[in-house]
RNA sequence: GCCGGGAUAGCCUAGCCCGGUAGGGCGCAGGCUUGCUAAGCCUGUGGGGAUUUUCCCCGCGUGGGUUCAAAUCCCACUCCCGGCGCCA
């Protein structure tokens, strides 16, 4: 969420931001709603002041004056009540729009409409030359009997799959390998609840705008994590941290759940499913360091692919492709031989103070007179299912799949045959 | 699930019984003073607004109610602590 005062005082900045994002947003409606809200609120405060003054006089006046005073107060009270109702409605109208206004792209983010305008920052690793036609991960998964698509569907419906034998072990190995790696680079491991309150989902910007993308429980205001980002960012919701604690760095493995309503790409295989595993990185930083920290966060996520020896590229997303809460995002895409293209396995974003304002995460100290909102960053490090798909394809031989050396202490086997 | 106790500002705590300006400590920020790794003293330190030193509104877990007036009394809910029950 953006600072309403910034919107009021610099509407041109917001207008430019929306234009860069190619978004139609009723900005004027928001500003008008806020103006009217403020106007009525002011009137309400004046009435309250009148009432408070009368009330304070009460103990000192005579009995007959008291009766008169009560009549006056009651009259003002009626006016207050109706103003309160009006103010409440106006605030709701303003907030409806305010909560749906996206973050402002950072100045270093290139202008663009979509994927084709994203910029490749670097390409790392050698793409392997195959002397046979590489198979798709789902073909490999079925032929080696490590991914069972049909039975996944039987258990939970379309969009779910089941891992079996060495497939299940490889998934677990990838999770542990990534957790250990990030822990060794200074991240604190967290194992959070897989459900989160509606407030938590609001804090990261997933509610109210992306309600349709999440699963929720039927009786409570609890939602299944679409990413551990929700849990990790909200660890410090409603807290005032000390400058000396920053930056905080967290890593968590969690399953992630996404309804993927109305999407029709990558449905074959395990690339786009309703449940997948992910190791997630989150940083909470002071404002002045957050963009440096983003670069380091991307490096931390890249390290996984470097060690697995899987070719990848890093893309700087253009304004049109930027997520709702993000000011700047890098995607990391790993090479998918069967489709002769790169596949997103990580998305690393600096959400600046957008989430901190919603989740109310501040800090004091560091020579600052007043408390200030922190910056929050998140990045996959990495999505496990997609990493597995990429790994299977890159490491396939005609009769087996080789396990990358770095994973062997975790898998306890060196090939899937 | 039942019974009891609790929730006060970034943190800790007083006030609640008996309704009338939320007091103190720590931390943080600023200032003053001092010839010694530091201490002492003063000021400020929840959110919002403004005609921005003065001023106004809101704020004591959340939402209602009683009252001229609620941190304080009443009701409901949430969460925490303890006891009982159930339980992987």
């Amino acid at each position: 969420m953006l600072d309403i005062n910034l919107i009021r005082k610099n509407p041109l900045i917001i207008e430019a931001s929306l234009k860069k994002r190619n978004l139609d947003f009723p900005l004027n409606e928001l500003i008008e709603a806020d103006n009217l809200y403020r106007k009525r609120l002011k009137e309400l405060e004046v009435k309250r002041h009148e009432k408070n003054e009368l009330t304070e006089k009460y103990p000192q006046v005579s009995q007959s004056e008291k009766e008169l005073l009560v009549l006056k107060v009651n009259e003002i009270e009626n006016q207050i009540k109706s103003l309160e109702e009006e103010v409440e409605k106006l605030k709701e109208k303003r907030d409806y729009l305010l909560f749906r206004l996206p973050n402002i792209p950072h100045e270093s983010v290139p202008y663009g409409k979509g994927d084709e305008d994203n910029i490749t920052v670097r390409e790392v690793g050698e793409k392997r030359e195959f002397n046979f036609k590489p198979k798709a991960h789902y073909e490999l998964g079925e032929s080696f009997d490590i991914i069972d698509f049909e039975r996944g569907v039987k258990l939970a419906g379309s969009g779910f799959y089941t891992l079996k034998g060495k497939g299940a072990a490889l998934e677990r190995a990838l999770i542990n390998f990534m957790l250990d790696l990030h822990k060794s680079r200074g991240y604190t491991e967290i194992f959070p609840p897989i459900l989160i309150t509606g407030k938590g989902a609001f804090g990261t910007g997933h509610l109210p705008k992306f309600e349709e993308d999440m699963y929720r429980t039927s009786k409570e205001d609890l939602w299944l994590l679409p990413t551990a980002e929700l849990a990790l960012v909200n660890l410090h919701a409603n807290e005032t941290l000390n400058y000396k604690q920053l930056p905080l760095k967290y890593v968590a493995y969690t399953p992630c759940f996404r309804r993927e309503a109305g999407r029709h790409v990558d449905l074959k295989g395990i690339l786009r499913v309703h449940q997948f595993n992910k190791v997630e990185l989150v940083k909470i930083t002071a404002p002045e360091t957050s963009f440096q920290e983003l670069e380091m966060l991307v490096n931390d996520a890249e390290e996984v692919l470097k060690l697995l020896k899987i070719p990848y590229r890093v893309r700087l997303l253009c304004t049109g492709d930027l997520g709702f809460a993000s000011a700047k995002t890098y995607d990391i895409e790993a090479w998918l031989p069967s489709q002769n293209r790169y596949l997103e396995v990580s998305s690393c974003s600096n959400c600046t103070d957008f989430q901190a304002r919603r989740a109310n995460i501040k800090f004091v100290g560091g020579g600052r007179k007043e408390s200030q909102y922190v910056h929050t960053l998140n990045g996959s490090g990495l999505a496990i299912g997609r990493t597995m798909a990429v790994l299977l394809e890159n490491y396939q031989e005609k009769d087996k799949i080789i396990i990358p050396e770095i994973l062997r202490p975790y898998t306890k086997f060196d090939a899937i045959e």
Side-chain angles (χ1 to χ4, degrees):
Chain A
M1 165 166 89
L2 298 176
D3 182 357
I4 186 68
N5 286 317
L6 176 73
I7 301 168
R8 288 168 61 211
K9 287 166 189 164
N10 301 292
L12 292 178
I13 292 177
I14 314 301
E15 209 169 281
S17 157
L18 291 166
K19 205 169 182 184
K20 282 189 203 165
R21 283 179 176 267
N22 301 299
L23 278 181
D24 261 331
F25 187 93
L27 183 62
N28 285 335
E29 229 175 274
L30 170 57
I31 292 169
E32 278 167 28
D34 184 59
N35 282 340
L36 190 57
Y37 161 68
R38 271 164 209 278
K39 196 177 158 201
R40 290 283 179 269
L41 185 62
K42 189 89 204 171
E43 291 170 21
L44 174 60
E45 287 184 3
V46 168
K47 287 290 167 196
R48 279 176 174 160
H49 178 54
E50 279 177 38
K51 183 191 163 185
N52 287 345
E53 279 195 321
L54 292 176
T55 290
E56 279 157 30
K57 264 201 291 195
Y58 183 87
Q60 296 136 35
V61 299
S62 70
Q63 192 57 42
S64 58
E65 281 175 290
K66 277 181 180 165
E67 283 167 28
L68 211 72
L69 197 144
V70 170
L71 287 176
K72 261 195 215 164
V73 168
N74 284 342
E75 194 196 321
I76 295 172
E77 187 60 32
N78 283 335
Q79 298 170 331
I80 288 177
K81 280 235 165 85
S82 73
L83 270 171
E84 275 175 345
E85 279 170 35
E86 198 183 348
V87 164
E88 175 74 12
K89 274 182 198 154
L90 289 167
K91 185 169 191 290
E92 269 171 34
K93 188 181 172 189
R94 183 197 70 172
D95 286 349
Y96 181 91
L97 294 169
L98 182 61
F99 294 163
R100 287 164 176 77
L101 187 62
N103 202 352
I104 301 168
H106 189 251
E107 57 192 9
S108 63
V109 173
Y111 173 80
K113 296 221 154 114
D115 188 58
E116 65 281 4
D117 297 317
N118 296 338
I119 291 169
T120 299
V121 178
R122 55 186 169 269
E123 277 185 87
V124 179
E126 290 282 308
K127 287 172 202 158
R128 181 182 153 194
E129 296 284 339
F130 285 88
N131 56 10
F132 57 95
K133 188 172 185 295
K135 287 184 177 167
H137 74 278
Y138 45 86
E139 295 171 307
L140 297 165
E142 290 198 310
S143 62
F144 289 101
D145 196 25
I146 54 173
I147 305 176
D148 190 333
F149 291 99
E150 279 182 27
R151 291 203 174 85
V153 171
K154 176 155 73 180
L155 292 175
S158 145
F160 292 88
Y161 65 98
T162 295
L163 293 168
K164 184 178 171 190
K166 286 186 172 175
L170 179 57
E171 181 91 356
R172 192 156 49 83
L174 282 167
I175 293 166
N176 283 330
F177 159 61
M178 291 184 202
L179 283 174
D180 284 352
L181 173 65
H182 296 307
K183 273 161 64 182
S184 77
R185 294 166 75 93
Y187 291 81
T188 302
E189 184 177 352
I190 301 287
F191 201 124
I194 308 306
L195 293 170
I196 188 138
T197 58
K199 269 185 191 165
F202 174 83
T204 50
H206 289 82
L207 284 180
K209 203 171 177 226
F210 302 103
E211 186 177 341
E212 289 305 305
D213 296 330
M214 283 192 287
Y215 291 96
R216 74 162 284 182
T217 61
S218 60
K219 294 189 178 167
E220 306 86 1
D221 184 27
L222 287 172
W223 304 72
L224 274 76
L225 295 181
T227 155
E229 170 195 343
L230 279 70
L232 295 180
V233 169
N234 280 291
L235 282 179
H236 295 288
N238 301 312
E239 289 184 24
T240 302
L241 304 163
N242 193 297
Y243 180 76
K244 283 176 270 186
Q245 295 171 264
L246 304 178
L248 290 166
K249 297 162 74 175
Y250 293 115
V251 57
Y253 150 70
T254 68
C256 304
F257 303 87
R258 298 186 183 179
R259 293 190 58 235
E260 302 289 355
R263 290 182 208 171
H264 302 286
V265 291
D266 284 337
L267 288 182
K268 188 105 181 134
I270 65 173
L271 303 185
R272 189 172 294 281
V273 286
H274 292 310
Q275 177 185 340
F276 60 96
N277 292 314
K278 183 154 60 69
V279 168
E280 180 78 0
L281 306 171
V282 159
K283 287 188 184 182
I284 296 177
T285 77
E288 62 269 23
T289 61
S290 67
F291 284 95
Q292 291 155 250
E293 293 283 354
L294 176 63
E295 300 298 323
M296 292 192 272
L297 181 73
V298 175
N299 289 339
D300 290 334
E302 281 178 76
E303 190 64 19
V304 175
L305 290 170
K306 278 186 189 158
L307 291 173
L308 290 174
K309 299 196 163 77
I310 292 172
Y312 67 90
R313 65 179 187 183
V314 177
R315 305 263 282 170
L316 173 58
L317 298 198
C318 70
T319 52
D321 230 10
L322 208 55
F324 177 68
S326 178
K328 184 174 186 177
T329 298
Y330 291 100
D331 276 3
I332 300 173
E333 301 177 336
W335 183 244
L336 193 66
S338 71
Q339 294 186 23
N340 204 39
R341 66 164 177 122
Y342 284 100
L343 172 73
E344 182 187 331
V345 291
S346 176
S347 189
C348 301
S349 301
N350 182 357
C351 296
T352 60
D353 60 0
F354 189 85
Q355 295 179 323
R357 189 170 286 111
R358 294 169 85 106
N360 190 29
I361 311 172
K362 299 179 188 173
F363 75 100
V364 291
R368 263 159 262 244
K369 201 164 186 169
E370 300 196 333
S371 66
Q372 204 178 339
Y373 289 111
V374 297
H375 280 193
T376 60
L377 292 76
N378 68 81
S380 348
L382 310 163
I384 303 294
R386 286 187 178 184
T387 302
M388 159 110 68
V390 161
L391 189 154
L392 294 178
E393 292 198 9
N394 279 280
Y395 278 87
Q396 62 181 298
E397 299 297 331
K398 274 188 169 156
D399 55 347
K400 63 182 173 187
I401 289 153
I402 310 280
I403 300 297
E405 266 179 54
I406 192 105
L407 276 184
R408 290 180 197 171
Y410 293 93
T411 54
K412 312 272 186 359
F413 52 82
D414 54 17
I416 298 171
E417 287 145 311

